[in-house]
Amino acid sequence: GVSESVTVSGAGAVVDTSSARIGVNVSPEELANLPVNGRNFIDFALLTPGVTRDVRTGDISFAGQRGTLNSLVVDGADNNNTFFGQTVGRTGSGRAPYQFSQDAVKEFQVNSNSFSAEYGRAGGAVINVVTKSGTNDLHGSAFEFYRDQALNANNAINVLNNRPKSPYHYNQFGGTLGGPSRPNRDFFFFNYDGQRNTQPNLVFLNLPSNTPTDAATQQGIALLEPLADSWNRALDQDVFLIKTDHELNDTNRLSFRYNQQNFTGEGFENGGPQNSSQHTGASLVKTNTFNGSWTSIFGTTVFNELRFQWARDKEPGLANSVNPEAVVQQSGTTVLTIGRNNFSPRETTIKRWQVADTVTWLRGQHKLKGGFDFQFDDILNNFP
């Protein structure tokens, strides 16, 4: 006779005896389905045990270490700002929101300890990112997340003070398109991600109760009142990515990626209830990265990957006033700060060239890996 049986078994995860690293992989399914406020894919690193926000800068902290000790690697290329010790564009630290759209990231790996030597130059953790590529099927997507004051009720504080709704606008939108330009040989992937965000910065004269009422003091207050108007912050960003992959033959593959980020943070140089609009300015971020890789297979035992990168991270800060900074105080209390921000206008621009090559040789149960990584950064820095 003919019989059929189904056997279901469960087993624990197999220990990886080939590596001592400690890390977590974030899969494409998790990136696509897990909610994240602000669409910054690096926030998924918080799923890793022992990882929290760095309260000092807003970066990601591993095992209590400063966020500036981490390293971000995108498609095998270094993506760190070597002047500030943060990622290129200083994203996720309260300045620009992100340099790579969540929809452009295929998966990423968080290596928090004992990672490979090729991902060195980090005292904290290494986040290794792989961007998406086109396939033989033509696919596209579109998204929009919209929040606005028109959709909200007025808050209790505004109601008690007979004030209208506070200005608020948050809109994120974009899409992807990928497919073959020549089936089985050449592929393309394009991504656009836009953000329009407006936040209020409330300003008021912080006059202590014992402020004198003499004519000279009242005249000074009258001069400050026109400078104490509230103003709005704006976080506007556009991110573009285009990537092409080319299967030259069964053993050689070429890949090229270009990514551009344009961020304008109006009123982002300074803020707070005692900062006049004179005492701030626009924080600008302009990043461009071009990455190329050539992977080759020699026989059945040797694998080689040659990588090249050109990158520019330009971050000027503008000033809203040419007048000198003045901190107006009464009885030791800051009433209002006027004039030009003391560290604006400024600029920090990094131009980078990087060439790296890695060879992997399989010999029975052994794997030998070696190579070189040369990186040159030209840093222009100007503070007043």
Side-chain angles (χ1 to χ4, degrees), residues 48-339:
T48 306
V51 179
T52 60
R53 290 280 186 193
D54 188 337
V55 296
R56 292 157 292 209
T57 63
D59 293 321
I60 304 296
S61 172
F62 289 80
Q65 300 185 83
R66 287 185 178 271
T68 53
L69 297 178
N70 303 326
S71 177
L72 179 66
V73 179
V74 181
D75 293 330
D78 189 282
N79 201 70
N80 299 291
N81 184 303
T82 46
F83 183 84
F84 290 105
Q86 297 170 303
T87 60
V88 169
R90 300 174 69 191
T91 58
S93 59
R95 302 188 67 84
Y98 44 77
Q99 187 194 8
F100 289 88
S101 171
Q102 179 183 341
D103 286 5
V105 176
K106 180 180 179 182
E107 60 182 335
F108 70 94
Q109 180 187 74
V110 180
N111 300 295
S112 56
N113 194 13
S114 300
F115 39 80
S116 173
E118 65 182 307
Y119 301 125
R121 301 192 297 272
V126 173
I127 301 176
N128 190 20
V129 178
V130 178
T131 57
K132 290 182 179 178
S133 298
T135 65
N136 272 330
D137 298 322
L138 184 65
H139 286 290
S141 65
F143 70 89
E144 182 172 13
F145 298 91
Y146 185 84
R147 287 180 284 172
D148 189 84
Q149 62 179 11
L151 305 177
N152 300 334
N154 204 359
N155 61 51
I157 296 177
N158 286 341
V159 172
L160 290 173
N161 291 277
N162 295 319
R163 291 199 301 249
K165 297 178 183 178
S166 302
Y168 182 77
H169 180 78
Y170 199 105
N171 190 15
Q172 291 178 294
F173 51 90
T176 64
L177 181 64
S181 52
R182 189 172 56 153
N184 299 321
R185 287 297 182 184
D186 302 305
F187 311 92
F188 72 91
F189 179 81
F190 173 79
N191 167 250
Y192 167 76
D193 192 309
Q195 175 173 309
R196 304 294 182 266
N197 187 358
T198 302
Q199 300 174 348
N201 187 94
L202 301 179
V203 179
F204 62 91
L205 294 179
N206 188 29
L207 294 168
S209 58
N210 61 347
T211 300
T213 58
D214 60 279
T217 301
Q218 295 305 310
Q219 183 182 5
I221 294 174
L223 291 173
L224 291 177
E225 285 178 344
L227 303 177
D229 289 338
S230 299
W231 41 275
N232 293 333
R233 279 182 157 184
L235 293 83
D236 296 341
Q237 175 168 282
D238 296 289
V239 175
F240 304 87
L241 179 142
I242 184 168
K243 185 177 182 182
T244 62
D245 297 275
H246 310 274
E247 299 286 349
L248 303 181
N249 50 46
D250 292 340
T251 58
N252 289 274
R253 177 188 178 92
L254 278 175
S255 180
F256 301 100
R257 171 181 56 79
Y258 175 76
N259 188 82
Q260 178 176 323
Q261 173 200 16
N262 297 325
F263 170 77
T264 301
E266 290 290 347
F268 235 70
E269 287 295 277
N270 218 327
Q274 272 70 62
N275 277 282
S276 71
S277 61
Q278 287 186 345
H279 198 243
T280 186
S283 300
L284 308 180
V285 176
K286 309 288 184 182
T287 68
N288 308 84
T289 57
F290 176 78
N291 181 274
S293 66
W294 179 14
T295 58
S296 303
I297 301 174
F298 301 95
T300 59
T301 59
V302 179
F303 175 81
N304 186 80
E305 182 179 15
L306 176 65
R307 298 187 302 273
F308 167 82
Q309 178 186 217
W310 174 85
R312 183 180 65 181
D313 184 358
K314 186 175 183 180
E315 300 187 33
L318 309 182
N320 284 353
S321 175
V322 296
N323 298 325
E325 179 187 57
V327 182
V328 183
Q329 294 184 330
Q330 175 65 41
S331 303
T333 300
T334 298
V335 177
L336 188 68
T337 304
I338 60 176

